[in-house]
Every structure is written in C-alpha cells, then in structure tokens.
Amino acid sequence: MTLRNGKEFLMIPGPTNVPDEVLRAMHRPAVDIYEGPLIETTELCMSGLRKLFRSEGQPYIYAANGHGAWDAALSNTLNGGDKVLVLESGRFALGWGEAGEITGLEMEVLKGDWRLPVNPQAVEDRLRADTDGDIKAVLVVQVDTASGAWNDIAAIRQAMTAAGHDALLMVDTIASLGCMPFEMDEWGVDIALTGSQKGLMTPPGLSFVLAGERAIKAHATADLRTNYMDWTFRNGPEHYEKYCGTPPEHLLFAFRAALELIEAEGLEQVWHRHALLAEATRKAIAVWAEGGVLDMNITDPNGRSDSVTVVRFKGADPAPLRAFTKEVCGVTVGGTIGDLAGQGIRIGHMGHVNAVMVLGTLSAIEMGLAKLDIPHGKGGVQAAIDYLAGAL
Ligand SMILES: *Cc1c(COP(=O)(O)O)cnc(C)c1O
C-alpha cells in the first residue's frame, strides 16, 4: 500500500524543488544570441547576482555545475604551485581543494571535525605561523552539505585580518546563497561562488562566481587561466564573450524567473523563512532524539545550517526509512555521504520550500519511524508545529 500519488517533494540538499514559474520560463524557443530578450536577461541576471551576493564585484556566469565554479575561482586567480589552505568542516571544501590539486595547486588541509564548524582561532593560528606567506588562498564553504555545518565567514575573515595575512578568502556558498545571510563586501570575501540548483531554485547547470577587487587584481598575474573559465575574455565587449560562446539560454530564462521570485519575496524574508523552517526541523529532531537512535550531526547549536539538516542514526539503518518516505509518502529525503555514508539522513529545506512541505516531510519521517519500529520520542511534528505557531 502506498500513499504517494500527488505532488512529490524533493527534500534533498540539491538539486531542489523547481517552482512552476521557473519551469515555465524555459518553455520557449531558442532566441538570437546577438540581440533581443537575451541581452536584457543577461543584464538582469548580473545585477541580480550582485544583490544576492551583496557585492559590487564582477559576476561571471558559467554553463557548469558547482565544480565548474570551483575551477573558475582557482584558475583565474592563482599560479601553478601556489598553496591553498582548505578549512575542513565536512566534505565539500576538501573536494574543492582536491580540484585545486588537479589544477596544479598545493593543498594543505586545516583539519576539522565533521561534527563542528570551522574554528576561526585555528585559522588565525595557522596563518600566523605562515611567516613566509606561502598560503595564497583560504578555501571554505559557508554551509557544508555533507555535515550540515554552518561556518561563520565574518569571523574567519576577522581571524585572517588578526593574523595579518593577505591570502585571498574564497567562499563556496553553493548550499547557502539565497538561504542564509551572506554579505560578500561587508565581510571582506574576495571570491564567492554558487550554483543554480540549491537555494536558487533553478535546474542544475549554471554556476556563478563573484570576483571582488583583490581577486580581480590577482587575475592580472594568474598563470592557471584556461580558455573557457577565463575572466579576461569574458570581460570583452560582445555579449557572447560573457559566456565564452553560446549562452545557456533556457537556464538563464529560468534563473531570471527565480530571481524575480526572490525579489518579490524579499531576500531578507527568504532568509527568515529558511531560519524558521530549519528551526522547526531541529525541534522535531530534538524530540525524536529522546529515543536514543537519532541525533543532530552538528553538536554546536550555533554551527548548524538553515538549509540542510544532517541527522545521525545510532543502532538503526536509515535506508528503510528513506525508502518508506519515498515509496509510501512521495517525499525524497537525502542519504548521508562521505565519512557519514550510510549513517544517517540529510533533510534539505532550501529554496522553494514552505511550511507544508517541511511539516509534511517531518510527518512522513515520523510515520516511518513508527512503522519501522525505530525508537524515537513521540511528538516531533507537534513540536515543530508549536514552534512555528509561536514564531509567526
Ligand atoms: C552541491 C555542492 C557542491 C557541488 O556542486 P555541483 O553542482 O554538484 O558541482 C559544492 N559545494 C557545496 C557546498 C555543495 O553543497
């Protein structure tokens, strides 16, 4: 017996639910790449990116996923053999550093913990010890999608300043932009990047890099530049140069529609919605945790993401629960990856999500816990409802 007919929810940490307005924006013929609506769309996407990143810097748009944006950030600003310091708080900053190694960089990992965000004091200490200035860039994710950690980027920049170090600060906001506050210029971030398919509610296939002043300066002498990623060519006067060839037209129309949705709601309200829905999720998990099996992966309450929640399981297999929510209820919840593979679930609550989707997801999980006899405290969903009712 299943109850899955009806609207299905994709509650994984990317790709995410795509709004109907965004889907409809793509349902049109291809257009001329030299004049007409595409030119205006590019302008709106560029100015929309500045607003999202809160930066006066230079945006670049790639027909690529997040991995492409990683390459673009590194290859445009660094030289072969340069050392990058990767701040570990899960899987994704490491992946970025590994991409750097293939590109020709040396990677040093500032060891972290999969249950905690990056410790800014450890960053300061490591940079203070780098008296020769070997480290040219610090790579960090604002939210690590594997661990559910949220890193305090402003504090990390303060740690770099306190150490008197002039490495570039590069931030991956793929799982946080359009979900949680990000202030590129105010915080002193030199390069920030993101992808289309998570908080930004657009199908996968676009990624974005915002280059600040110091990054643009570093570009002038970078020797790892590649043809497709290269900022110099993309700064050229012709429209097609911004894309190094034919623009990904339909994804741009989609992204424009997503930007309009964010603009209509208001970016700060978007952040607030994510904060409330994330806290409701955590309230439910705190109740379920009373059964001794489920637990929040991130132990520091101040280091938890509002876009994805990672739940650990002790003494029970999470796979049947995920199968239950999907096959019986029509809700896809994420599995854990990397060091946590097979040990828990990841609940994505980012982008196009409302109270019904989050409460429905939590209900499907709680129903599954009961059906599968996984020990848990009863009333997690009620706790989420009570929290939201009180917070509105
Ligand atoms: C999803 C994700 C990536 C990878 O993005 P792709 O589009 O799959 O290449 C990188 N970093 C973070 C923080 C992510 O959440």
Side-chain angles (χ1 to χ4, degrees):
M1 171 74 197
T2 86
L3 304 168
R4 74 179 289 177
N5 273 5
K7 183 88 178 168
E8 303 227 339
F9 297 162
L10 183 60
M11 306 302 277
I12 63 174
T16 61
N17 300 283
V18 180
D20 292 345
E21 292 89 334
V22 174
L23 289 173
R24 277 199 299 272
M26 293 189 288
H27 195 77
R28 58 185 288 181
V31 297
D32 190 349
I33 66 171
Y34 296 101
E35 58 185 24
L38 196 59
I39 314 297
E40 183 201 42
T41 297
T42 293
E43 281 163 14
L44 288 169
C45 290
M46 294 291 185
S47 63
L49 284 166
R50 286 197 177 94
K51 286 183 205 157
L52 280 177
F53 282 100
R54 305 274 198 147
S55 175
E56 297 299 314
Q58 180 59 48
Y60 296 95
I61 300 177
Y62 294 94
N65 60 16
H67 283 65
W70 282 350
D71 282 0
L74 301 173
S75 66
N76 272 297
T77 54
L78 297 172
N79 294 292
D82 279 357
K83 184 189 271 192
V84 297
L85 182 66
V86 169
L87 311 184
E88 185 188 18
S89 60
R91 179 83 275 277
F92 284 90
L94 296 179
W96 192 3
E98 287 155 11
E101 284 188 307
I102 293 173
T103 309
L105 298 167
E106 194 191 321
M107 152 161 88
E108 178 182 324
V109 177
L110 184 70
K111 198 75 194 102
D113 186 310
W114 276 60
R115 304 204 66 176
L116 290 170
V118 170
N119 175 1
Q121 187 61 50
V123 178
E124 181 178 335
D125 294 345
R126 176 62 193 93
L127 291 178
R128 266 189 206 286
D130 183 39
T131 45
D132 294 338
D134 286 338
I135 296 168
K136 302 300 180 201
V138 171
L139 274 47
V140 63
V141 298
Q142 188 182 24
V143 164
D144 190 292
T145 325
S147 67
W150 169 81
N151 292 313
D152 186 342
I153 302 301
I156 290 167
R157 163 50 82 189
Q158 280 162 20
M160 293 173 69
T161 306
H165 203 287
D166 71 352
L168 294 171
L169 174 57
M170 302 193 185
V171 183
D172 168 337
T173 69
I174 296 176
S176 51
L177 201 76
C179 307
M180 298 183 75
F182 186 75
E183 302 282 354
M184 176 162 172
D185 288 359
E186 190 186 318
W187 293 349
V189 174
D190 298 304
I191 298 187
L193 58 86
T194 200
S196 56
Q197 79 273 25
K198 299 191 185 179
L200 304 184
M201 308 180 289
T202 302
L206 286 183
S207 58
F208 313 102
V209 177
L210 222 306
E213 235 168 85
R214 295 181 68 233
I216 289 166
K217 208 163 150 226
H219 177 70
T221 53
D223 73 8
L224 288 174
R225 289 161 53 193
T226 64
N227 174 59
Y228 180 71
M229 297 298 175
D230 188 30
W231 291 346
T232 299
F233 184 78
R234 284 166 181 263
N235 290 340
E238 299 297 331
H239 179 255
Y240 82 91
E241 289 173 307
K242 293 189 177 8
Y243 300 95
C244 193
T246 305
E249 298 185 337
H250 293 80
L251 286 171
L252 294 167
F253 293 136
F255 182 52
R256 174 180 173 175
L259 286 170
E260 284 166 1
L261 290 175
I262 292 172
E263 181 94 21
E265 185 177 353
L267 184 56
E268 270 138 52
Q269 167 54 32
V270 171
W271 296 340
H272 190 53
R273 169 168 54 85
H274 280 83
L276 294 187
L277 296 176
E279 186 59 21
T281 304
R282 293 187 284 257
K283 290 281 191 259
I285 292 160
V287 172
W288 298 335
E290 291 163 8
V293 171
L294 278 67
D295 200 4
M296 290 290 293
N297 179 53
I298 297 296
T299 53
D300 175 0
N302 296 320
R304 293 172 179 161
S305 160
D306 286 342
S307 51
V308 54
T309 296
V310 179
V311 186
R312 292 169 87 102
F313 281 47
K314 202 168 50 198
D317 181 2
L321 179 69
R322 291 184 53 236
F324 178 90
T325 63
K326 180 170 182 175
E327 284 152 27
V328 180
C329 304
V331 180
T332 303
V333 171
T336 41
I337 57 172
D339 288 5
L340 295 176
Q343 295 176 46
I345 59 172
R346 296 185 300 159
I347 306 170
H349 33 77
M350 62 173 97
H352 190 56
V353 285
N354 60 24
V356 168
M357 294 161 82
V358 169
L359 291 172
T361 301
L362 297 173
S363 299
I365 293 171
E366 191 156 340
M367 200 199 313
L369 292 171
K371 178 77 189 164
L372 298 168
D373 284 325
I374 298 173
H376 64 286
K378 301 268 179 221
V381 173
Q382 188 63 51
I385 291 170
D386 291 345
Y387 167 74
L388 288 177
L392 291 174

